[in-house]
Amino acid sequence: MKLAAIDIGSNAIRFQVSTALDNTAQVVFKKLEYVRFPLRLGHDVFATGRVSSKSMEKFRKLMAAYKLLLELYEVDDYMFCATSAMREAENGADLAQRVLDELGIVIHIIDGNREAELINRAIHSYLTDKTYLHIDVGGGSTELNLYAAGQKIQTRSFKIGSVRVLEKNDSPQAWEDMERWIKDHVKKSYGKVTAVGTGGNISKLFELAQSKPGKTVSLRKIRETREMVNAYSIEDRIYKLQMNPDRADVIIPASNIYIKVMEWAHATSILVPEVGLKDGIMLYLYEKNKLQPKLF
């Protein structure tokens, strides 16, 4: 079964086609194609409340390109999901309608809870019955999910993200709300809390910290890695640390969000599974198609 997931984020738009291999105890997705295009919708939306005409035209062309790839790979099912920037844009629904009218592509503009639910599908297999605070930092929002005894017990989305913070479009109130939410819900009775980080920036920090997959990295090491990155210019981050240009400028604001959340939750280490929204979409599509009765 070939499946495609398209994550329309605030900092970039990701496209992935995978084959689902289900002849094992757990489904495995073999990647066939991955494209990450740096169209920063959040730059327009968080400053003006709208997607600009120039970005709309680029977006339409990108959707047309992705549609061609869907056809070439002959995928069985796919899903386009848009997050913070498109859901906040005054013309986000109009843009989605234009894409539907011109290309026949349905774009699902999902809220923070649905975004968190999809990402949780992808991280669930990495968790035990311990206490975890899942932190997913995107360009426009941060989703927090609290797990205790193997169950998700709280979830909340905040308008704090790497692009939003970089361009100073975040509000002190949002930070205060997030700190209060963490201190109200992450209780001492739950015991030691381990953070779980998803998103491109924490994955890059994890790589730069030279941590091994499946192992946690300490908050101290995350702070040290942030300071190391901060000492480089944007240009040196691109050429010496091998970052994409649209990663090089947001990685410090994103790092600060992860670190603040961990400090408020008294989490001293973080687990970084290499998964995100697109992986959750893949699992959702797989389960949806697997449950459908076959017609003979």
Side-chain angles (χ1 to χ4, degrees):
M1 187 191 304
K2 287 183 189 174
L3 303 171
I6 300 87
D7 169 9
I8 302 169
S10 303
N11 190 45
I13 301 177
R14 298 169 179 82
F15 172 99
Q16 184 168 317
V17 177
S18 295
T19 299
L21 307 172
D22 60 357
N23 56 350
T24 59
Q26 186 177 343
V27 62
V28 175
F29 294 99
K30 185 177 185 301
K31 188 190 302 181
L32 299 176
E33 182 67 81
Y34 176 72
V35 180
R36 180 185 183 276
F37 190 85
L39 180 55
R40 186 171 282 178
L41 297 176
H43 173 74
D44 301 330
V45 176
F46 304 143
T48 68
R50 297 178 62 82
V51 179
S52 69
S53 298
K54 182 178 179 181
S55 292
M56 286 180 75
E57 186 55 31
K58 276 191 172 182
F59 183 83
R60 189 197 66 76
K61 289 179 179 177
L62 185 60
M63 294 301 103
Y66 286 169
K67 184 182 180 183
L68 282 174
L69 285 173
L70 293 175
E71 293 171 358
L72 288 167
Y73 276 101
E74 299 178 331
V75 300
D76 297 294
D77 202 359
Y78 62 87
M79 188 175 183
F80 288 70
C81 284
T83 57
S84 185
M86 286 225 6
R87 67 177 171 244
E88 289 184 38
E90 293 172 10
N91 56 346
D94 293 338
L95 179 54
Q97 186 63 50
R98 178 182 171 186
V99 170
L100 176 61
D101 293 342
E102 294 182 10
L103 301 171
I105 291 171
V106 175
I107 295 175
H108 300 270
I109 302 177
I110 58 175
D111 63 20
N113 288 334
R114 177 62 169 154
E115 184 177 354
E117 177 194 324
L118 287 166
I119 297 168
N120 287 341
R121 287 174 181 266
I123 70 165
H124 198 266
S125 63
Y126 294 87
L127 309 183
T128 64
D129 60 357
K130 296 178 182 178
T131 302
Y132 298 93
L133 181 60
H134 172 217
I135 313 162
D136 183 73
V137 177
S141 65
T142 293
E143 274 66 49
L144 300 181
N145 301 279
L146 181 62
Y147 288 83
Q151 299 294 321
K152 185 172 77 171
I153 56 174
Q154 296 288 342
T155 184
R156 179 79 185 273
S157 179
F158 298 89
K159 289 185 178 181
I160 299 170
S162 59
V163 175
R164 203 188 289 269
V165 173
L166 175 71
E167 300 186 349
K168 296 180 171 56
N169 289 310
D170 55 322
S171 73
Q173 183 63 49
W175 284 96
E176 289 168 14
D177 287 348
M178 186 160 70
E179 180 180 9
R180 190 180 309 112
W181 186 90
I182 292 167
K183 291 181 176 178
D184 285 348
H185 292 95
V186 182
K187 299 174 182 177
K188 287 183 179 178
S189 59
Y190 294 146
K192 183 181 177 182
V193 179
T194 300
V196 180
T198 52
N201 289 296
I202 194 66
S203 293
K204 188 63 180 179
L205 282 173
F206 189 77
E207 175 193 321
L208 292 170
Q210 298 181 326
S211 297
K212 295 179 181 178
K215 301 291 184 182
T216 59
V217 61
S218 69
L219 174 57
R220 178 184 58 81
K221 187 65 175 178
I222 291 292
R223 289 195 190 108
E224 289 174 359
T225 307
R226 175 192 61 183
E227 294 311 309
M228 180 273 288
V229 173
N230 200 33
Y232 285 85
S233 66
I234 298 293
E235 186 176 60
D236 282 347
R237 291 176 201 173
I238 296 168
Y239 293 105
K240 293 182 179 179
L241 300 182
Q242 299 294 297
M243 291 187 194
N244 291 325
D246 65 317
R247 172 83 61 226
D249 60 350
V250 297
I251 192 165
I252 296 301
S255 303
N256 292 337
I257 299 170
Y258 287 105
I259 289 168
K260 272 296 178 190
V261 171
M262 290 179 71
E263 288 173 346
W264 288 333
H266 302 290
T268 58
S269 62
I270 186 167
L271 177 68
V272 185
E274 289 288 326
V275 295
L277 178 60
K278 60 182 174 50
D279 303 280
I281 295 171
M282 287 285 184
L283 278 166
Y284 166 76
L285 291 172
Y286 171 76
E287 290 164 9
K288 185 186 80 168
N289 284 275
K290 196 70 178 172
L291 291 172
Q292 285 181 348
K294 293 183 179 180
L295 300 177
F296 294 97

